[in-house]
Amino acid sequence: HGVIGYLLVGKRRDAIQRYLGAVRTHLGRAHPGVPQHIVAFSFGSIVCFDYLFPRRGIEPAGDGDISSVSLIGFPYVMVDSAIPGYFSGRDGRNLLSFQLQNYYLENDYLGSSIQSHLPEMFTEPLPRGGGFREVRATAQQLIGPSLSPFAPHFGYWDPGNPEGSDTIRAIEIG
């Protein structure tokens, strides 16, 4: 219910957006002048996109300078197929102040390349020479049954870290 409610009727969207703004404000005040790097995976990429590029033309709340935003496995095509125009008509002016990076796997049915969809997504052309970068990532070890069409979606992560925590090896955040 959470994902569907969020996408179809905006259930808890405002509360989530306020929370993200409060986190940014806290970080901006606790660490003034330190650039913020946002990393979002899968459904979190949708929430992040909605926060940074709201449909209502409202600037994202929060203090602090965002330096980069990395969307990993952004399910653009899946959502746009189910809810046409969900990501359309967004204000891309924020891309003048930070780098948006989209990482996708070629065989990931959920994560999408969004390069060809940018004109639909933003009301104005993106800034030349910056603002957006797309990277086809290299899959790490697959998690879960390899027969599942969704298994590649979890291939961004390397579960084989000797310390036991998941890490991203194929992606450099910068």
Side-chain angles (χ1 to χ4, degrees):
H1 294 18
V3 173
I4 293 170
Y6 178 93
L7 292 171
L8 291 179
V9 295
K11 187 175 182 180
R12 297 191 33 100
R13 184 179 297 132
D14 290 340
I16 292 168
Q17 303 304 318
R18 280 192 305 274
Y19 175 76
L20 293 174
V23 169
R24 280 196 53 224
T25 297
H26 171 76
L27 291 173
R29 291 179 182 164
H31 307 284
V34 176
Q36 298 174 5
H37 301 275
I38 299 173
V39 179
F41 173 66
S42 196
F43 178 68
S45 296
I46 298 169
V47 172
C48 181
F49 190 86
D50 282 345
Y51 173 70
L52 294 172
F53 310 107
R55 277 185 260 177
R56 293 172 281 196
I58 300 169
E59 290 295 317
D63 295 332
D65 295 323
I66 297 175
S67 179
S68 69
V69 175
S70 297
L71 306 177
I72 303 167
F74 182 27
Y76 173 88
V77 171
M78 183 187 76
V79 172
D80 194 59
S81 296
I83 309 168
Y86 181 86
F87 297 108
S88 297
R90 307 297 180 105
D91 185 343
R93 285 179 292 174
N94 286 337
L95 290 176
L96 295 171
S97 60
F98 64 80
Q99 176 79 30
L100 175 65
Q101 302 164 113
N102 182 54
Y103 295 90
Y104 70 99
L105 295 173
E106 190 170 15
N107 62 343
D108 182 3
Y109 294 106
L110 297 176
S112 309
S113 167
I114 61 173
Q115 180 77 46
S116 65
H117 302 284
L118 293 175
E120 304 154 23
M121 295 168 78
F122 297 106
T123 55
E124 301 290 327
L126 296 181
R128 289 181 185 240
F132 178 77
R133 181 171 78 111
E134 188 159 75
V135 177
R136 185 174 72 199
T138 303
Q140 303 299 308
Q141 178 179 342
L142 292 181
I143 300 173
S146 60
L147 297 178
S148 168
F150 302 110
H153 191 61
F154 300 100
Y156 297 93
W157 310 100
D158 176 19
N161 183 331
E163 284 76 41
S165 63
D166 291 343
T167 58
I168 303 173
R169 289 194 315 191
I171 300 171
E172 291 181 21
I173 308 301

